Each structure stands twice: as structure tokens, then as C-alpha cells.
Amino acid sequence: MRAVTNFWIRWRVRVGYPVGIAAFWFARPRTAWLICGVGIALMGLLLRGYAAGHLRKHKQLAISGPYAFTRNPLYLGSTLLAAGFSVASHSWISTALLATYLGVFYPMVIRREQMELATLYGNAFTEYASRVPAFWPRISPAIPLTERFSSALYRKNREYEAALGLAVAVAILWGLMLWRQ
């Protein structure tokens, strides 16, 4: 992978902070939009949590649960979280900032992770990738759903941090809504 791509992949979190701050700055939340946005974000949070309960990082190729529908349920869940924030923010500028951020970084990160998984798991990943789409999910699972959700994996993968992040974002948007009225 090119050095420039690796640089931006490493800097994506650092770039995300000012994007997030700007998204809050331009947010103009209203009650109905906030409620609708939180509903969308909760779907993303649930998807991320479900995926985390099936993920054994660097130990086993994740193909169960939501991974039978999409190879990147965590990124799809994060996209739903961002969409929920965009709706809740009631701001086209915030939406454009978040969409640009995701559009720039997610394709790079997904390609890098696919290369890593292909290196780690070889033919097993190639077969899996031929049956399961990279991002937008299939309607039916490509692989029989045999493994169950593991709350221990959910905790180990620290996915509860996303729930805390959502709670903080909603509190900030709620505070902005009250302050700007």
C-alpha cells in the first residue's frame, strides 16, 4: 500500500476530531430531528454491538452473525451512527463534513483491512469475499448462522465505548438545541 495512503489511514482519527467539532458547531438540532436521528443512530449502535459479539480479532475470520451479510458490519454501523448524527444535527454542512470524512477514509481502510485478511486467512478469506459484499449487506446470509452472539466478545472488543460516545453526542446536541432556542 502506498505511503500516502498509510499516512492518511494513520491520521484518520486525528482528522476526525476537528471534523466532529465542526459538525457540532454547525449543528442546528430540533426535537423531531433529534429523535429521528437518535433512532437511526441506535440502529447503527445495535449493528456495531452485534458485530463486536462475533469478532475475534486476528484469531479467527469473522463470518458469523452480521458478517454473513456484509464483510464490514462495524463500518456499516458507524455509517448509520453518522447518518443518525446528520439527521439529528439538522445541518447540511454537518452532513457534508461527515459524508466527506467517511467517503475519504472508509474506502482506504476497508481496502487495507481486506489485504490484511487475505494475508492472514488466504483462501478462506477469498472464498468468503466472493460470497459476501464488502459493505452493503446481502438480503439473506451467505453462510449459515451457526455461532451465537458473545457478550464476552462484545466486552473484550470494548464496543460499549460506542454507546458512551452516542450518549455524549446526544447530550451535546440536546444542550445545543436548548442553548440556541
Side-chain angles (χ1 to χ4, degrees), residues 11 28 174:
W11 273 79
R28 299 295 182 259
W174 184 265

Side-chain angles (χ1 to χ4, degrees), residues 10-86:
R10 283 192 312 271
W11 273 79
R12 75 183 185 277
V13 173
R14 292 178 189 114
V15 170
Y17 290 124
V19 169
I21 290 167
F24 279 113
W25 179 263
F26 290 108
R28 299 295 182 259
R30 301 287 177 259
T31 304
W33 290 94
L34 185 62
I35 291 168
C36 184
V38 168
I40 295 166
L42 284 173
M43 289 189 297
L45 190 65
L46 289 171
L47 178 56
R48 283 189 57 88
Y50 185 41
H54 287 270
L55 182 61
R56 292 170 177 82
K57 293 179 185 176
H58 307 295
K59 292 182 174 86
Q60 178 183 340
L61 181 61
I63 60 172
S64 65
Y67 292 93
F69 296 88
T70 173
R71 294 194 312 262
N72 292 285
L74 289 167
Y75 293 130
L76 181 56
S78 292
T79 300
L80 286 170
L81 281 164
F85 179 91
S86 294

Side-chain angles (χ1 to χ4, degrees), residues 95-115:
T95 299
L97 286 167
L98 294 170
T100 301
Y101 177 83
L102 296 177
V104 167
F105 289 105
Y106 274 16
M108 281 189 286
V109 173
I110 288 170
R111 276 193 302 276
R112 183 194 67 183
E113 287 181 4
Q114 287 184 149
M115 290 181 353

Side-chain angles (χ1 to χ4, degrees), residues 134-157:
F135 191 74
W136 298 112
R138 296 170 47 99
I139 293 175
S140 61
I143 294 144
L145 301 175
T146 56
E147 291 187 37
R148 298 179 60 94
F149 173 84
S150 166
S151 57
L153 281 174
Y154 172 87
R155 287 188 304 277
K156 180 180 180 187
N157 288 320

